Each structure stands twice: as structure tokens, then as C-alpha cells.
Amino acid sequence: MHSSQPLPRSASGRSLGLTLALISACAFGGSGTAAKPLIEAGLSPLHVVWLRVTGAALVLLPLAYRHRAAVLRRPWLLLGFGLLAVAGVQACYFAAISRIPVGVALLIEYLGPPLLLAYVKFVQRRPVGRGAAIGAGVAVTGLACVVEVWNGLSFDALGVLFALGAACCQVGYFVLADAGSRGERPVDPIAVSAYGLLIGALVLTGVTRPWQADWGILGGDVRMNGHELPALLPAAWMILVATVLAYLTGVVAVRHLSPPVAGVVANLEAVVATVLAWVLLGEHLGAPQLAGGLLVLAGAFAAQTRKAGGGKAGGGKAGAPAGEAGPAAAAAGVTAGNAEQPAGDAGTADAATEPAGRTADLATAPAPGRKAVAR
């Protein structure tokens, strides 16, 4: 882990970072809406995830070649990002939803930002700003309302452990995205995203066995909220916007905001996914979800707002954003990534994952009266 410190983040840098973080959250949040028609047409959630990650890796392949020096400069960082921020979130999330309710798995996965704060405070021993801590707590409370976690509560110890694994991989997404800018050999965020997706695609190829899928579905039409459209349209959106754009803007945002702040802002992905499912898929939004969305927005705002009265937040450098725990260094996701969410009737996974991570992460189409969304 590199110990060198980056230059203090300026106000203009924070504004740029917040803008990119919001773009990333919106892009990640649309992954489920694009994935659901493909899944309903006959592709499995795992194969949709493989299509998403592999398609994005191929799009970024020319950029990966251009930044090939990064492989020698920081090989372990790129490997960690691919294993954790891309493949890890997906694998852990799917293992979790096979044993516990989707809403519960999502809520546990989105404990990533609070876990990130704990990592910064207790492992890196850096000060955590009050804004980030309060924002994370408010956002998690809002997420509990968004996914309506009280519907169908049932727990399985192994399932909970898998969901916690997805949350930890989501932490890896933010930590490693920030770590690429540190040390004597910084890595361009484009290289981190490109090689992370490439490595994640290779890992997921072995897990998902894409040669068993009926890819002829992509040559036909799919239905979205009663309307037919070419299958390639949602597939292209999922690859180009919900993955390529989402990862590129997300990694850059972390470097301008700091991992803790970017992690809390990323919770907006669940809100965006819910709203898009309402508008494009005709899914119902209940009062608890609307209230939860407002809480997530409030938490994101609290996390990125400078602590009143001074240039230091909890001992941070002047010019650093309030709520900034001080940047995280290298570590090991996704979601999301980011992880994608399966749409499903109780106990059935019908949609894909995404986050990250974050986590990640695709939105789910839950059973009547129950919403579950994620990266």
C-alpha cells in the first residue's frame, strides 16, 4: 500500500467529482431496466451479466492497449479491481440471493459505504468527517425503505456472509479506484476501468459458461412495458452506458471526492433504478420507496457537504471536502459496482446483477408490493 498523499482536492475538483459521481450513479442505475427485457426473452441473469461485462471490456480494449504500460506499473491493482470491483460483486451477490431475500441481500450489499468508513477510520487510521458518517447512516436507512427490506424477512447465515462479501467487494471498488492515483506509479483511471473489466470478463467466462446461452435472442425483438423493440437496443445501453460510462465516470469521481464521499453518493443508484423501473417498466412505487429515495438523497447531500466553519474536517487538510475521510490507499469489486439485481417473485431470481461497487451492480423486478434495486 502506497503511503504518498495526493494533492488537496480543490472546490472545482469536488464539483467535477460530484457531477461525475451523479452521472455514474444514474448510468449504473439504468442497468436493471435494460437487462430485464433480455432476461424475460430467455437469457439467464448470469449470461446477461457476462454480456454486459464482456461487451464493455471489448469496447475498452483499444484503450487498454493504449495504456498497456499500466500492466507493468501496477499489476496487482488492476488484478484486484477486476477480481473485486467487477467479478467479486457479481459472484457474491448471486450466491447471496440464492439463499436470502433479494431486498435483504441488497441492503447488506449497500452497507459498503459504512464499511468503507470503518476501513478508513480503523485500518488506515484516518479521520472520518461527520458529514460522511451521518450521510452513510441516513442513506442506509433510506435504502431499507427503497428495497422494502421488511417484506419476506428470512435469514440464512451463509447467504448473509455472501451478501457481506458483495459489500466488501464494493468497498474494494472505491478503495482501488482511489489507490490508482497514489504512489510513485499512478495509473490512469481509464486503464483501471479497462483492465478491471477485461479481467472481470475472463473470470466470469469461467463461471457463467456463455457458450451455453441462446445468443440468437439478440437478433430478435424484446418487450419493455408492453412495447416491442430490438434486443440489441437494451443490450447496447447496458454495455455502453450502464457499464462503460458508469465505470469510467465512477473511477474518476472517486479520485476527486475521496472514497467515503463517492461511496455514499453511489447509493443514489438504487433510487435511479427504482425510478427508471417505474417510468420504463411500469413498476409500482409505494410511499416507503418514495420516502426512502428522499432519505438517500439527503444522505448523499450530507456526505459531500463541507463541515461548517473551517477548512478542516475532522483533522483533514484545508480544501478537502467535509465528510472526506481522507483518501483511501490501495487494497483489494462490482456493483454496484457494482452488482445487478434479479427481478423476481419471492424466492426466484429473474433479473441480473450489477454495483460497485460500486456493486455491483442491475435492478430487479420484485414480487408485487416489493421493490428491490441495485447497481
Side-chain angles (χ1 to χ4, degrees), residues 290-306:
L290 293 173
L294 292 176
L295 285 175
V296 174
L297 289 171
F301 177 79
Q304 61 85 33
T305 301
R306 181 182 298 274

Side-chain angles (χ1 to χ4, degrees), residues 4 10 16 21 66 71 115 184 227 245 280 297 320 374:
S4 60
S10 64
L16 174 61
R66 180 179 180 181
V71 176
L115 289 176
E184 297 178 355
H227 302 284
L245 177 64
L280 298 178
L297 289 171

Side-chain angles (χ1 to χ4, degrees), residues 46 91 202-209:
L46 280 175
L202 293 175
V203 174
L204 289 172
T205 297
V207 174
T208 63
R209 300 177 183 178

Side-chain angles (χ1 to χ4, degrees), residues 12 93 135 265:
S12 60
Y93 176 76
V265 176

